[in-house]
Every structure is written in C-alpha cells, then in structure tokens.
Amino acid sequence: MLNPKLRGIVYATAAAALVTGCGADDIASPGTGGNITINNPAAPPPPPPPPPPPATVTAATGCPTIGNPVQLTDDGTITGPTGTYRVCTLPARLTASSTLTKIPGLLYRLGGRVDVGTDQGPTEETSDPSDVVLTIQPGVVVFGGTGVSWLNVNRGNRISAVGTAALPIIFTSRDNVLGLNTDSSIGQWGGVVLNGRAPITDCAAPSAAPGTIACERQVEGAVDSALYGGATAADNSGRMSYVQIRFSGFVLSGNSELQSLTTGGTGSATVLDHIQSFNSSDDGAEFFGGLVNMTHFVSIGADDDNLDTDVGVKANFQYVLAVQRQGAGDSMIEADSDNTSDGNLPRQNTRLSNFTFIQRNNTGNSSAILLRGGTDYTLANGVIVSPNTSCLRISRPQTIAAADAAIDEAGAPLVRSVVAQCGTPKFRGDNGVSEAQVAAVFGTGANNNNDAFTPSLTSLFVNGANETAVTAFNASTLNSFFAATTYIGAVKDTNDTWYAGWTCNSVTATLGTSVTGLCTSLPTF
C-alpha cells in the first residue's frame, strides 16, 4: 500500500500527463475517434412583411374647368377613411354643356339644387336656348353637400352619366365621404331627377287635357319650379348607365322626399340601365308618366317602395333585383294611386320581366305588390319571397277591368311564370275588389304560376333547383324591348353575374366582388 506521500506524487504525475495531452484540435468525439462537427439549427425564416396600409387618396391640387362659362368653386379638402379629396362645387345652374372629368383625389359637390340647363317648356321651339348636356365620366363621385342638395335635369336638356362595370359613377352623401354611415343610414341628400316632355296624367292645371302639352306637373318634393310633361313620346333626357345612387331621399318640402332616381315625363329615347339604388329614404326609383325603358336595376334597402310607377307611365323593365332591409321598407312594387284622376288617359301600363323580390317585413301597404288606380300591369318570370306579407293587393274594379281600347284599357293584370312564397292571407282586395278576385288574377296552377312555392335561392337571390325547374314565359311577345329568356327571376344561376362588380355591398345584400367595396365606404380608384 502506497504511503500518502507517494500516492500524492502518482496523482500529480497523472494529472500533468492529462493536461499535456489536451489541445484545441485534439478533442475526440466519444465512439468516433474523429473530430466533432456541430450542426447549428437553421435560422428561422424572416417574418412576413406587414400588410400594406389601406389605400388612401391624396387630394388633387385644384379644380378643373368643366365648361365655358361654367366654373367650379374650390371648397378646399375633405378627409375621410379613404383619404383626403379636393372638393369642387358645381354652380347652382349649368348654363352650357359641361363635363365632370375623373381626376384622382377629386370629388364633385352639389351645394344645393343644381339645375342642368333651364326648363325649355313642353315643346321644342326654334327659340329654345341651346340644349345643355352634363357629361359625367366613369369613376366620378358626386356628393350632396347638404340635405337639400339634388340634381335636376330640366326639360330640353340631358345627362350623360355613363360609367363602366370597372368604373361606375357614384352619387352619394357627405356623411358617406366622411365615413359616418352605417348600413341603416338613409335620407342624407335629395337624389337625381330627370324631366322630359313625354305625355303624363294628373295635370297641375285643372283645365288641362291629360297627355297634351298643356298637362304639366311639378317634381314631387321640389320647392321651386321643376316641371315635367308634354306630348313628345320619344323625348330624350339622356342616359344613365353603371350608376350607384346612395343614401338619398331627404325631405325637401311638405313631408315629401325624392327617390334615388326620379323621372318625370321622360321619353322613349332616354336610356337607363345598370342602376343601383342603396338606402333611399323613399322609393328606390319612381317614374311619373312618360315612356320608360330600363334594364338591370338593383334596389337595396329602400325605406318605402322599390319600384314605384305613376301618372300614366308606359314602362318596360327587365332584370330587377330588390331586397329590403330587415325591419324597414314597404312594397316591392307600388303602381299608381287611388285618386280622382285615375281615369285619365294615357292609362298606366307597366310590364316587368325577370325579377327577384326579397320582402322581409310586414309593410304599410300590407303586400309585396300593390296595384291600384286603374293601372294595367304585367308580371312575368318572377320570384317573390314574402313569407310575412301578402303577395298581391289590388284596389278598385277598374284595375281588373276587361280590355277596352276606347279608354286605353289593356285588361286585368297579366301574371305569367311567377312563383311566390306568401304570408297570410296570400292576396288582398280593396275598394270593390275581393280577395278571391285577386287570387284569380294571380291564377296559381295556370300559366306556370305558383303561390305555394318553396324558394331554393342561393346567395339570397340566385336561382336554385326549384326556380330553374319553372318554365319561363317568352317576354319578347310583350314588346320588342324584352329579351326572351329560358329562366325566371333576375339571376339565372351562379354563372350569371350581371349584378356584380359595379354595385356596392352591405349587410342587407352581398352582391359579389365589388370594385367599389362596401356601400358605407368610398372607392379609391
């Protein structure tokens, strides 16, 4: 056994040998006999870049010249969620043809009532002043600067508001620019009014003969003179295509408000197509007399009726989609009024094909469709979803009278290939018309009509299997205006997207991919 002193010497010698054998290049990995290779973990990928900030608008540097001697007023800038815009206010009257050009960062403002030209009366005279044409380029935004702002196209003058599917024209309110609106906001400015010289009834002058140049009327709600009427059936008030009209219907006078679009005595040469009304505090559109042809109309969230026709209008409509807001709105259709003039000639005759109506409420008219005042009416290729309300209400025996050419009477309303989901009772009669007579007019079980229909619509308004199974009526037999379709309803199927792109979206109705986004916001194009 080693003594303690010798044991210490041995331990010290061994430790010295270990220290001598250690070097930076001599560390062996156990079991390998080779050098250690250290593999560090791969570096994590860099985080994705933050999303780009929302597109914002920078105000234009100034206001353009729109016509000679017409000048705009530079009212500075206005800022909302989508950016800052130059505000260019139109004069109270355009006295020469003018063009509102599309300029990034620029909005056109209606400071109050804005007249296009002066009223040239019910007939074309050699002494008339030159016609004034207001041209609005695609993508232009015009807003009502005050509640009483509205655009009035006077007789003998025209509008040319022709947008595109990619660049619709927008008429809206100041609150919409500021981002203050919700999907329930309504009635923040007047609207757009087109006046013409075509025949009307319900003359303002008691001695005037209806349908003549002596028969004129004042625009509903207007305080100052704004007349329409005459005897020129083919009169031309211009064209509106790919247009949105938002948040309109301010009460102008006497508890009477405008619609998104109002026509008075416009003639058959006027062109109306691809027009959206959003959240009008009155009707989506109302047509007073004249001869009206319109296709591709979308009415969303109207606080009153969606399609209102009066005072002897002769109208043709095809492809109409109307959806009520939850808890608001009246009828889908209101045709004429029960008054002492309902026997006037020309008698209203409106024809509607390819429509889809989503009625969500019990309404003041207690029906999805109200026909009265002796009106003649054709409903073809339609889908009515009205589970809480009667589908059809008719007032006065003249409205269901037999045809009589001597009094311009086309006969009882015609219903062809119309299917409906109705509340109780399904039909209503008033002022001498019975419920049974209204049911007979609808004629379920005949002419492909069905008042006990089960809707299978997809995306709220697109035809499903049940709608597709209904045989369509050939609407081209009514008038050359109509296209013959193989389907009922406004939207054939998922491949039929005429309503999408140029319209705006809301909680009331999602209309697909939109170039302008939500109705509560402005586009940034």
Side-chain angles (χ1 to χ4, degrees), residues 175-520:
D175 280 4
N176 196 189
V177 178
L178 293 172
L180 302 177
N181 283 348
T182 70
D183 282 317
S184 297
S185 300
I186 59 173
Q188 297 177 338
W189 66 292
V192 179
V193 178
L194 311 183
N195 296 307
R197 294 163 161 165
I200 66 169
T201 63
D202 292 35
C203 317
S207 60
T212 70
I213 60 172
C215 188
E216 302 174 293
R217 283 178 60 86
Q218 170 78 353
V219 170
E220 183 179 76
V223 177
D224 299 319
S225 179
L227 299 173
Y228 63 89
T232 306
D235 195 45
N236 184 2
S237 297
R239 178 179 176 184
M240 294 182 67
S241 300
Y242 291 102
V243 171
Q244 298 176 17
I245 307 176
R246 308 177 180 181
F247 305 108
S248 64
F250 192 86
V251 176
L252 299 181
S253 67
N255 200 33
S256 182
E257 59 264 73
L258 294 175
Q259 292 65 233
S260 289
L261 174 64
T262 303
T263 71
T266 56
S268 60
T270 305
V271 177
L272 302 171
D273 67 88
H274 295 88
I275 295 174
Q276 180 187 16
S277 165
F278 181 74
N279 278 24
S280 168
S281 68
D282 198 11
D283 303 322
E286 187 162 9
F287 305 89
F288 294 90
L291 287 84
V292 176
N293 297 308
M294 181 168 71
T295 70
H296 303 96
F297 176 57
V298 178
S299 180
I300 306 296
D303 215 44
D304 195 1
D305 308 309
N306 289 273
L307 196 63
D308 200 336
T309 47
D310 293 287
V311 298
V313 66
K314 306 286 189 183
N316 298 309
F317 302 114
Q318 189 165 23
Y319 313 113
V320 175
L321 172 62
V323 183
Q324 280 186 330
R325 280 183 294 130
Q326 198 68 48
D330 206 334
S331 293
M332 296 289 114
I333 291 173
E334 182 178 279
D336 230 309
S337 303
D338 289 336
N339 59 29
T340 57
S341 300
D342 66 11
N344 281 184
L345 307 184
R347 188 179 304 283
Q348 179 184 160
N349 190 351
T350 294
R351 290 168 285 205
L352 169 62
S353 182
N354 295 98
F355 61 92
T356 299
F357 293 157
I358 309 299
Q359 174 99 3
R360 288 172 163 159
N361 317 292
N362 279 308
T363 65
N365 284 334
S366 303
S367 59
I369 297 173
L370 173 60
L371 308 180
R372 60 184 179 180
T375 182
D376 296 327
Y377 218 100
T378 297
L379 298 165
N381 298 324
V383 179
I384 303 169
V385 179
S386 184
N388 302 312
T389 309
S390 299
C391 280
L392 178 61
R393 179 181 173 193
I394 297 178
S395 177
R396 295 207 184 193
Q398 184 63 57
T399 311
I400 59 171
D404 184 348
I407 59 170
D408 194 25
E409 172 60 67
L414 188 71
V415 183
R416 296 290 185 270
S417 297
V418 175
V419 298
Q421 180 187 44
C422 308
T424 303
K426 294 181 179 180
F427 306 106
R428 293 177 182 267
D430 282 322
N431 297 320
V433 178
S434 70
E435 181 179 319
Q437 287 174 306
V438 179
V441 167
F442 187 90
T444 193
N447 299 307
N448 300 307
N449 300 325
N450 182 357
D451 65 11
F453 186 72
T454 300
S456 63
L457 298 168
T458 63
S459 302
L460 185 64
F461 51 81
V462 177
N463 284 355
N466 293 353
E467 291 78 22
T468 301
V470 179
T471 301
F473 172 74
N474 183 1
S476 68
T477 61
L478 300 173
N479 186 278
S480 59
F481 164 83
F482 292 98
T485 65
T486 59
Y487 61 93
I488 67 170
V491 181
K492 179 181 180 180
D493 54 31
T494 55
N495 296 316
D496 182 10
T497 57
W498 65 261
Y499 56 86
W502 59 275
T503 52
C504 61
N505 288 316
S506 64
V507 296
T508 304
T510 298
L511 300 171
T513 301
S514 170
V515 298
T516 62
L518 297 175
C519 301
T520 52

Side-chain angles (χ1 to χ4, degrees), residues 57-198:
V57 173
T58 301
T61 56
C63 296
T65 299
I66 64 170
N68 186 14
V70 178
Q71 299 294 325
L72 297 168
T73 299
D74 188 335
D75 277 324
T77 61
I78 187 171
T79 299
T82 54
T84 300
Y85 301 84
R86 176 70 51 189
V87 177
C88 299
T89 299
L90 277 69
R93 187 181 303 277
L94 301 177
T95 57
S97 292
S98 305
T99 298
L100 305 186
T101 55
K102 171 71 173 73
I103 297 175
L106 187 148
L107 303 177
Y108 295 93
R109 176 180 177 270
L110 307 175
R113 169 176 169 174
V114 173
D115 283 281
V116 178
T118 58
D119 178 36
Q120 297 182 23
T123 59
E124 185 71 31
E125 303 285 351
T126 56
S127 59
D128 279 352
S130 299
D131 295 354
V132 172
V133 179
L134 172 61
T135 299
I136 304 177
Q137 291 186 344
V140 163
V141 177
V142 180
F143 75 94
T146 66
V148 295
S149 298
W150 58 293
L151 183 66
N152 181 55
V153 180
N154 285 295
R155 288 181 296 186
N157 305 283
R158 301 190 305 281
I159 190 172
S160 179
V162 183
T164 66
L167 288 173
I169 293 164
I170 300 175
F171 291 92
T172 192
S173 67
R174 181 176 181 271
D175 280 4
N176 196 189
V177 178
L178 293 172
L180 302 177
N181 283 348
T182 70
D183 282 317
S184 297
S185 300
I186 59 173
Q188 297 177 338
W189 66 292
V192 179
V193 178
L194 311 183
N195 296 307
R197 294 163 161 165

